[in-house]
Amino acid sequence: MTTLTVALLQLDRPASESAATLEAGEAACRRAAALGADIALFPEMWSNGYRWVPLPERGAGNVYRHPDGWAGRPPVTVPAGGEGWHGEAVAADSAYVGHFRALAAELGMAIALTCFEEWPGAPRNTLFLIDRHGELALTHAKVHTCAFDAAEAALTPGDSFDVATLDTAAGDVRVGAMICYDREFPESARALMLAGAELVLTPNACDLERNRLDQFRTRAYENMMALAMANYAGAGWGHSIAFDGMAFGPDGSRDMLVVEAGEAAGVYPAVFDLAALRAYRSRETWGNAFRRPASYGALTSSEVTEPFVRETGEGRTFPR
């Protein structure tokens, strides 16, 4: 086989109880397996439905603003670790994750499970990639947490973009992950490409309007990688999408779109031709060969200059 199928699980946001997410998630995975999927991809933080409790006593709006943006506004206090999130955080060795590990082995299908993960200090926003044998192949915690937002300011960010070799019926595939806001930084996808990723799995939990969809297409184009993104269903949401990473063919420019969902809940298979992608990557000019890293010094600097300075109402700049 040279094709790989990723099932985009575009699901309604569940209740916060993990029992409900477990039942609905299992049903979606079984549907994905029946459709011939090699990998089932959940939306962001499936274990609690990416739900949080508003904290009105802390004020509304962004935690971090430009200094001029605080005029006349009450400060928004950064919540304590994990405060405000619905549901209990789950650990990698929890019964919840264990259930999906057993399910993956039963179905012979990899599962990209997303969780509100228990972590020292404060929970993380995490993807556990479980292989078709039920083993954990990759753990990715969201690096670019939306720290400007009170809810995600209470999470521990990840610190790397790692790639794993996933054993599938189509053979070994090099797989990485980005979570939601991660995909809005070109460095995320570039780091995954440099680490050898052929396929990048992207759980999401926000509206996917034209600009974000075009941005995601660009990540596939400039890195010659297959990208698959699963979002929650619902009005103004949905549009789970996949691109195959091959922007040009024998006849010139081509549409990289593999599948795009509407807003309705469902399981949407995205079929990738791995042989074609690998041949494309071996001959085309994007990716790594013609980069000039010695010229990119500013990319590794942590300095923030105007107009991008952001601080809390108390004058604390964004941690770096």
Side-chain angles (χ1 to χ4, degrees):
M1 292 178 62
T2 62
T3 59
L4 180 83
T5 300
V6 179
L8 311 180
L9 308 184
Q10 183 167 291
L11 307 177
D12 293 319
R13 292 172 70 187
S16 61
E17 296 82 4
S18 61
T21 71
L22 188 149
E23 181 179 347
E26 177 175 334
C29 286
R30 291 190 181 279
R31 173 62 177 157
L35 292 172
D38 297 288
I39 305 171
L41 173 61
F42 279 95
E44 184 177 8
M45 252 205 268
W46 172 254
S47 68
N48 73 342
Y50 197 86
R51 293 184 183 277
W52 63 89
V53 180
L55 301 171
E57 72 279 6
R58 301 188 187 282
N62 290 349
V63 174
Y64 291 92
R65 301 175 183 270
H66 187 276
D68 294 343
W70 286 107
R73 297 176 183 271
V76 180
T77 305
V78 178
E83 184 182 1
W85 286 95
H86 272 299
E88 296 295 322
V90 298
D93 61 355
S94 65
Y96 186 83
V97 176
H99 180 88
F100 284 95
R101 289 181 62 176
L103 181 63
E106 176 194 338
L107 298 176
M109 177 186 71
I111 297 175
L113 178 68
T114 57
C115 292
F116 180 50
E117 184 196 8
E118 181 180 304
W119 194 256
R124 303 198 302 181
N125 181 341
T126 298
L127 176 147
F128 295 115
L129 179 58
I130 305 164
D131 72 15
R132 61 178 176 156
H133 311 292
E135 300 299 322
L136 281 177
L138 176 72
T139 299
H140 173 70
K142 187 175 184 178
V143 172
H144 298 103
T145 53
C146 298
F148 48 82
D149 179 82
E152 287 212 8
L155 299 178
T156 298
D159 57 10
S160 65
F161 290 95
D162 300 318
V163 173
T165 299
L166 185 68
D167 170 40
T168 75
D172 288 348
V173 184
R174 295 284 286 165
V175 181
M178 304 184 288
I179 299 177
C180 200
Y181 194 41
D182 282 340
R183 61 173 162 67
E184 300 207 15
F185 293 83
E187 296 88 348
S188 305
R190 183 52 44 114
L192 289 165
M193 181 275 292
L194 293 173
E198 301 174 285
L199 168 68
V200 176
L201 304 173
T202 308
N204 197 77
C206 71
D207 60 316
L208 291 176
E209 43 71 50
R210 172 66 183 272
N211 295 305
R212 290 190 174 108
L213 294 175
D214 286 350
Q215 181 187 64
F216 197 58
R217 179 191 297 269
T218 300
R219 299 289 172 263
Y221 161 47
E222 64 197 3
N223 293 292
M224 297 191 290
M225 298 188 302
L227 267 58
M229 178 159 56
N231 196 27
Y232 285 102
W237 287 54
H239 296 280
S240 297
I241 199 164
F243 296 105
D244 65 18
M246 297 178 285
F248 294 89
D251 299 320
S253 179
R254 60 181 294 276
D255 189 352
M256 296 185 295
L257 181 67
V258 177
V259 65
E260 180 181 352
E263 295 181 344
V267 175
Y268 298 87
V271 181
F272 298 101
D273 187 333
L274 294 177
L277 176 60
R278 287 164 178 166
Y280 181 81
R281 287 163 62 94
S282 73
R283 67 175 183 266
E284 289 296 349
T285 58
W286 296 275
N288 191 12
F290 300 107
R291 294 172 63 248
R292 296 185 182 273
S295 302
Y296 307 153
L299 294 180
T300 58
S301 171
S302 60
E303 182 182 6
V304 179
T305 57
E306 291 291 352
F308 305 114
V309 175
R310 300 291 185 271
E311 63 181 32
T312 65
E314 294 83 12
R316 180 165 63 87
T317 58
F318 182 70
R320 296 195 174 274

